[in-house]
Amino acid sequence: MSELERIREKAAAAVNCTGTTLPSGLRVLCRTMPGYSTVHAMYATAFGSVNRAFVLDGKQIDLPAGTAHFLEHKMFESEQGDAFDFYAKTGASANAFTSYDRTCYIFSATQKIDENLDILLGMVGKPWFTQQTIAKEQGIIGQEIKMYDDSPDWRLLTALFRCLYQYHPIRDDIAGTVESIATLTPELLYACTDAYYRPSNMVLSVAGNITLARAVAACQRAGLDKPWPEHRVQTLLPPPEGPVQQKEVAFTMPVNKPCFALGYREAPIPRGDTRREVICDMLPDLVCGGLTDLYRRLYDEAMVNPEFSGDYISAGGCCAIAFTGESEEPRKVADLVRAEIARLRREGIEEELFTLVKNQMYGELLADVEGVEDAAEEIGAAYLKGRSLTDEIEVLATLTLEEVNQALQTMLLEENSAYVEIRPTGTDEEES
Amino acid sequence: MERRQLAPGVFLTTLEAEKFNRCRITIHLRYPALRKSATDAAVLPLVLERGYAQCPDMTALSRRLARLYGADLGVDVGSAGVDRILSADICGIKDRFALGGENLTAAYADIVLGILFDPYLVDGLFDPEAVRIEKETLARRLQAEYNNKRLYCVRQARRRFYGDSPAGIELGGYLKDLPAVTPATLKAEYDRILSVASIDVMVQGADAGRVAEMLLDKLARVKRAPVRFASPLAMPITQPRHFREEIPGLTQAKLCMLFTTGTPEDLPSITVLRMAMSLFGGSATSRLFRNVREKQSLCYYCGASALRATGVMMVDSGVEPGREDQAEAAILKELEALCTGPITTEELDDCRRSLLSTLDALGDSLGGLESWYYGQILRDEALAPPEYGKVLFNAVTVEEVREVLQSYHYSVCYAVTAKEGAQ
């Protein structure tokens, strides 16, 4: 057996995921986990906050910021009542969340699995919106928006995207603004569900004490086993971005220590390009993760908190890598990160560090498929990005240092960067 | 599950973990909190986590963990009423998943036991450089509390509620005490904890016999005098006290309301208490969620929780500035309605189903099962599996839930809000 085959076998055994595509176009994925009591299910659509314009059956629809998130809240209501009330009768714990590129509806349960799957597929499959119920939700979401307005981490990220992108909708908060969601109507919401809540744009992923056959049977009861009447949908993308327009921004908030973000705009990751995704994921750890000398210096010299970290964000048509933290000397930290990136580009990444980061990521992937929640959500999320967890493990095992060093020559470039700083209220005036 | 005593005040519990990809070892040291050494106790986990005698360098330790496929090591301090718990845990993939066939589980035990029992010392005291760095880290953490307004509001309310009571000793220590923390004071606190603590080791999926042997070997060098767990307490009943803090630039106001039972006697069973919190504000079918959030759109979040050992119930919420009084009145009205008005069997059963489901799910995570059993140890109860908890939940009545809710008296309300006229 070759090294690659051995790794592939180990990866498949660790992930142990089966799947099928129904005639409706719905992809159903299942990780059966012997010995577990819980079932976690996620029904997700590739429709997130960055989906802001599309053509549906020849008609262009433009959406206000926050539409996908608003829709997520509204899907829990039907003419028959609130889905939370139905779940309460089965003992399931249910929730939903919206990200930049997807909306996910989830439940965890140990009993009445068929009933819970029926509730999940029913609530998402039969949207029901009225002017009155929309008005009520605007109040609740208005409070949610305000809660995020007080979060320095969230404000940093939004401000960073506003610097890095001139046109892309990632500039706007996932929940939108009180003003933007005030313009939503039942017609707009129905247009979104017609366009993006089609089975061929969705995935049902389940994990735990469940089989693929049981999940498929639930889809059959929901009528998802038949070919689906398709609307003609074309997602409209924003115009290509030019050079980064705003290199720096600073503003104040009631915080007692400056917060900062150093971000880099990267080329969007093509759907299914797992190697590129894995490289984006590991680069921040290679630059200033906990295993690096730079992190050690920043930490020991009290320039950052343990929470200082780098991360990547990828959604339709955009990709960014951001380093964020709190510091008394934010600009100095950002300069040290910049210098380290330049050094790595010049001298190359240390081989041992690269191997250790790969090891760490492999361990994280195995941890992800150990719990039913993470397992269902990770296999579903990977599918929506055009890959599988087995692909990720394979890529991780076969990725070479040369590939990463080469990628670094065209990534984390200074001309594609921006810097955001939040200063404590009263210490300074806003710069822009 | 098997629990056995290894020495006075030292127990080892083995839990089944066959189905998991990973294994886990946790060591809990429960000891009485002292106001005078609270800040030493808060710095200690930060210093311990940096390394130990066999691997003193922080980066070298991080790299060792990465070599073990990113094994997770954590050292933390938590509370159990007036007592504190210093915990170290390690969690990593099982040997069969190692790409190079390494023996990982033996290494996990070496590291986690080394971290707690073989600290890196310089001339018999903690490394002065590590202490200096971690004092600064703690200072930054304490200052950062203000950045998270929800947390800040809850902590400010707790400070008013507990005052100088032992239950109010700050888990994170005190900024003003930090300069007095030295390698010597830290070592003294470490020695005190090792001497008086009740030690519980929880092993899941690793060789428990080897862990027991190693632990006893390390404890043979320690002078032990374990003390009993602290007794429960409760703050006295007073007239409600209101505090309001205005912060310019705040968008959403935060409200934290604290209630006391007034007496540590007749503690409610944890089962009835969980049902009561679920019904009042701990679930998506609770009165606070349904009425205050959904029907009245007064709060984005509004939840209730309780701590049995200190007789406190807390409601915290995020509300629109200027509507704090309205939200407070609505929350109190819901509590009053549960204390004196009807509670339907249907709504109680909704909560019961949700909690039963939670119990069913405990065995599906390493952390869940460990928390279930260690929770019983902390309450000094006989250990019983989650199935026994289900029997207890099925027996809870409306009257018991009402009685628990009636035992709380409104004590402190802390509001963090936008500056008048700023919105």
Side-chain angles (χ1 to χ4, degrees):
Chain A
M1 190 187 279
S2 74
E3 179 68 8
L4 183 61
E5 281 168 337
R6 198 178 60 78
I7 288 164
R8 196 168 283 162
E9 195 175 88
K10 223 160 212 184
V15 176
N16 184 29
C17 175
T18 54
T20 186
T21 304
L22 302 179
S24 62
L26 178 68
R27 182 73 181 157
V28 185
L29 296 168
C30 177
R31 172 166 155 75
T32 302
M33 298 165 73
Y36 283 69
S37 305
T38 314
V39 171
H40 189 76
M42 178 176 87
Y43 195 25
T45 168
F47 177 60
S49 69
V50 301
N51 296 89
R52 293 280 295 283
F54 58 94
V55 176
L56 177 67
D57 298 328
K59 185 183 171 196
Q60 180 165 340
I61 312 279
D62 293 298
L63 302 174
T67 302
H69 173 257
F70 195 92
L71 197 56
E72 170 221 306
H73 275 239
K74 292 317 303 167
M75 294 301 270
F76 280 86
E77 278 180 343
S78 69
E79 266 185 291
Q80 287 72 42
D82 191 317
F84 280 123
D85 291 337
F86 304 143
Y87 281 123
K89 303 300 170 222
T90 65
S93 153
N95 211 336
F97 57 91
T98 306
S99 68
Y100 293 113
D101 59 358
R102 62 184 188 272
T103 311
C104 307
Y105 301 86
I106 55 176
F107 77 75
S108 282
T110 53
Q111 307 280 330
K112 301 186 177 176
I113 302 309
D114 292 337
E115 288 90 326
N116 287 311
L117 284 168
D118 292 346
I119 296 169
L120 177 68
L121 297 174
M123 69 178 247
V124 180
K126 298 187 188 76
W128 179 73
F129 314 116
T130 69
Q131 203 58 61
Q132 289 90 332
T133 59
I134 286 176
K136 189 205 82 177
E137 207 65 37
Q138 281 161 343
I140 292 170
I141 296 180
Q143 284 301 320
E144 185 177 355
I145 291 169
K146 286 174 182 170
M147 187 175 77
Y148 282 107
D149 280 348
D150 288 330
S151 160
D153 294 345
W154 197 245
R155 292 277 303 274
L156 265 182
L157 212 54
T158 307
L160 185 66
F161 289 142
R162 289 199 159 246
C163 289
L164 295 177
Y165 292 92
Q166 197 175 356
Y167 308 112
H168 198 281
I170 202 160
R171 287 169 52 83
D172 294 320
D173 195 291
I174 289 174
T177 63
V178 172
E179 293 74 26
S180 71
I181 61 170
T183 63
L184 283 166
T185 62
E187 292 71 32
L188 268 183
L189 298 183
Y190 281 122
C192 295
T193 53
D194 285 346
Y196 292 104
Y197 280 66
R198 292 172 287 119
S200 58
N201 197 50
M202 301 185 72
V203 62
L204 172 67
S205 52
V206 296
N209 184 18
I210 188 167
T211 60
L212 181 65
R214 195 170 191 179
V216 169
C219 295
Q220 286 167 342
R221 290 195 299 278
L224 291 161
D225 57 332
K226 302 173 189 67
W228 205 259
E230 286 286 312
H231 289 280
R232 282 180 296 117
V233 182
Q234 183 196 354
T235 298
L236 299 178
L237 297 172
E241 299 284 340
V244 171
Q245 292 293 311
Q246 197 166 10
K247 296 291 287 177
E248 270 196 40
V249 69
F251 56 96
T252 63
M253 274 186 80
V255 292
N256 59 6
K257 198 173 286 289
C259 307
F260 72 97
L262 173 65
Y264 294 84
R265 192 177 75 199
E266 304 296 340
I269 302 174
R271 188 181 145 77
D273 189 344
T274 310
R275 293 192 102 71
R276 183 82 179 174
E277 194 102 26
V278 169
I279 289 171
C280 283
D281 198 6
M282 66 167 42
L283 269 182
D285 280 341
L286 294 169
V287 173
C288 60
L291 305 176
T292 64
D293 292 340
L294 174 60
Y295 177 82
R296 180 63 181 275
R297 179 183 165 191
L298 294 171
Y299 186 82
D300 282 1
E301 292 182 16
M303 282 192 272
V304 295
N305 279 1
E307 291 75 23
F308 168 68
S309 65
D311 211 346
Y312 87 105
I313 303 98
S314 168
C318 71
C319 176
I321 293 177
F323 301 91
T324 58
E326 287 175 11
S327 177
E328 290 290 3
E329 303 167 280
R331 199 171 289 275
K332 186 173 172 189
V333 175
D335 286 343
L336 287 168
V337 172
R338 284 186 180 109
E340 179 65 2
I341 291 167
R343 186 189 73 79
L344 291 175
R345 191 175 291 125
R346 204 172 52 243
E347 298 175 10
I349 293 158
E350 179 202 345
E351 178 133 28
E352 192 199 2
L353 176 64
F354 172 70
T355 307
L356 292 176
V357 168
K358 281 201 338 178
N359 268 12
Q360 232 174 9
M361 288 174 74
Y362 174 68
E364 283 165 14
L365 271 164
L366 287 187
D368 281 345
V369 291
E370 181 185 86
V372 289
E373 285 186 28
D374 285 345
E377 293 180 19
E378 291 295 328
I379 58 177
Y383 170 74
L384 290 178
K385 283 192 177 288
R387 61 173 194 263
S388 71
L389 294 188
T390 311
D391 295 339
E392 282 183 43
I393 295 178
E394 262 184 54
V395 166
L396 206 50
T398 55
L399 192 71
T400 64
L401 179 58
E402 290 68 35
E403 282 176 274
V404 180
N405 276 327
Q406 197 175 345
L408 191 55
Q409 299 305 314
T410 56
M411 296 179 72
L412 299 175
L413 298 178
E414 194 51 35
E415 60 264 34
N416 295 333
S417 73
Y419 173 78
V420 179
E421 192 175 309
I422 298 178
R423 296 169 186 162
T425 306
T427 56
D428 213 338
E429 289 305 309
E430 293 188 16
E431 279 182 0
S432 31
Chain B
M1 187 279 301
E2 185 199 343
R3 185 171 194 238
R4 60 193 171 107
Q5 183 162 13
L6 301 179
V10 183
F11 295 84
L12 184 135
T13 306
T14 314
L15 301 172
E16 172 61 39
E18 183 54 36
K19 66 188 177 193
F20 299 109
N21 290 348
R22 295 178 302 163
C23 51
R24 179 181 168 106
I25 304 168
T26 307
I27 306 166
H28 298 291
L29 278 71
R30 178 173 176 167
Y31 62 94
L34 292 178
R35 169 63 189 85
K36 65 175 184 185
S37 58
T39 309
D40 288 290
V43 174
L44 187 59
L46 297 171
V47 172
L48 292 177
E49 200 171 2
R50 287 179 68 93
Y52 58 110
Q54 286 77 34
C55 185
D57 182 77
M58 186 171 105
T59 307
L61 178 58
S62 296
R63 289 189 170 214
R64 181 156 187 220
L65 293 166
R67 221 163 274 128
L68 299 170
Y69 299 94
D72 245 341
L73 173 73
V75 187
D76 213 347
V77 62
S79 0
V82 178
D83 285 340
R84 293 288 175 263
I85 303 157
L86 174 67
S87 304
D89 69 273
I90 193 161
C91 190
I93 63 171
K94 287 183 176 162
D95 295 346
R96 69 171 181 266
F97 293 113
L99 292 172
E102 307 94 313
N103 182 352
L104 305 172
T105 44
Y108 301 149
D110 290 345
I111 293 171
V112 74
L113 285 160
I115 284 284
L116 271 191
F117 298 105
D118 295 323
Y120 172 57
L121 302 176
V122 177
D123 298 330
L125 303 176
F126 281 102
D127 174 19
E129 182 63 2
V131 175
R132 177 193 67 74
I133 292 165
E134 298 307 337
K135 279 170 67 178
E136 288 179 4
T137 302
L138 183 65
R140 294 198 300 279
R141 274 200 182 157
L142 290 172
Q143 288 159 354
E145 171 192 292
Y146 182 72
N147 290 2
N148 181 338
K149 298 298 182 293
R150 181 176 180 175
L151 182 69
Y152 173 72
C153 180
V154 168
R155 290 196 178 159
Q156 288 291 76
R158 283 184 76 255
R159 285 165 191 141
R160 305 303 182 280
F161 179 79
Y162 286 120
D164 293 331
S165 157
I169 295 172
E170 294 280 353
L171 188 62
Y174 299 82
L175 207 50
K176 67 181 171 64
D177 291 356
L178 262 175
V181 173
T182 65
T185 62
L186 206 58
K187 180 64 167 46
E189 179 66 355
Y190 170 78
D191 288 342
R192 178 181 81 90
I193 293 170
L194 239 51
S195 166
V196 302
S198 301
I199 300 175
D200 266 282
V201 183
M202 319 289 282
V203 180
Q204 295 170 281
D207 183 348
R210 183 167 180 271
V211 172
E213 264 177 43
M214 289 174 71
L215 177 65
L216 287 174
D217 178 53
K218 294 191 187 295
L219 287 175
R221 289 169 276 154
V222 178
K223 195 175 170 195
R224 294 266 298 150
V227 297
R228 289 181 59 81
F229 291 174
S231 303
L233 60 75
M235 299 311 294
I237 299 164
T238 59
Q239 282 298 309
R241 291 170 294 149
H242 285 76
F243 303 89
R244 182 185 166 91
E245 181 176 347
E246 291 180 347
I247 296 180
L250 194 71
T251 314
Q252 186 185 65
K254 318 289 170 196
L255 195 67
C256 180
M257 300 160 70
L258 296 175
F259 302 76
T260 181
T261 54
T263 169
E265 305 297 321
D266 302 325
L267 291 180
S269 88
I270 193 75
T271 315
V272 178
L273 190 61
R274 283 182 183 156
M275 282 281 276
M277 288 310 110
S278 175
L279 181 64
F280 179 37
S283 68
T285 57
S286 70
R287 294 278 181 100
L288 292 182
F289 188 90
R290 283 172 190 266
N291 298 335
V292 181
R293 180 190 134 118
E294 292 288 305
K295 284 193 184 145
Q296 300 171 56
S297 295
L298 267 174
C299 313
Y300 174 61
Y301 65 88
C302 187
S305 56
L307 290 176
R308 187 169 166 267
T310 49
V312 62
M313 176 172 77
M314 176 178 89
V315 176
D316 82 315
S317 57
V319 302
E320 198 175 321
R323 297 181 80 184
E324 299 88 353
D325 294 348
Q326 204 182 334
E328 181 193 11
I331 291 163
L332 291 173
K333 189 177 160 198
E334 293 303 328
L335 181 58
E336 180 63 20
L338 286 172
C339 289
T340 57
I343 297 173
T344 66
T345 308
E346 190 187 4
E347 62 182 330
L348 198 65
D349 284 346
D350 285 348
C351 294
R352 197 188 319 269
R353 268 189 293 273
S354 166
L355 289 163
L356 288 173
S357 190
T358 308
L359 285 188
D360 276 332
L362 282 175
D364 288 349
S365 78
L366 289 164
L369 215 49
E370 186 193 301
S371 297
W372 168 259
Y373 285 109
Y374 191 57
Q376 292 175 334
I377 293 168
L378 288 179
R379 292 190 296 276
D380 222 356
E381 294 170 354
L383 297 197
E387 288 71 28
Y388 179 66
K390 289 172 71 176
V391 173
L392 296 179
F393 272 118
N394 276 318
V396 174
T397 65
V398 167
E399 290 69 34
E400 287 175 310
V401 167
R402 198 194 306 277
E403 196 183 328
V404 163
L405 290 169
Q406 284 172 339
S407 71
Y408 288 106
H409 304 265
Y410 192 21
S411 179
V412 163
C413 176
Y414 200 96
V416 173
T417 188
K419 195 163 184 164
E420 203 80 44
Q423 290 294 310

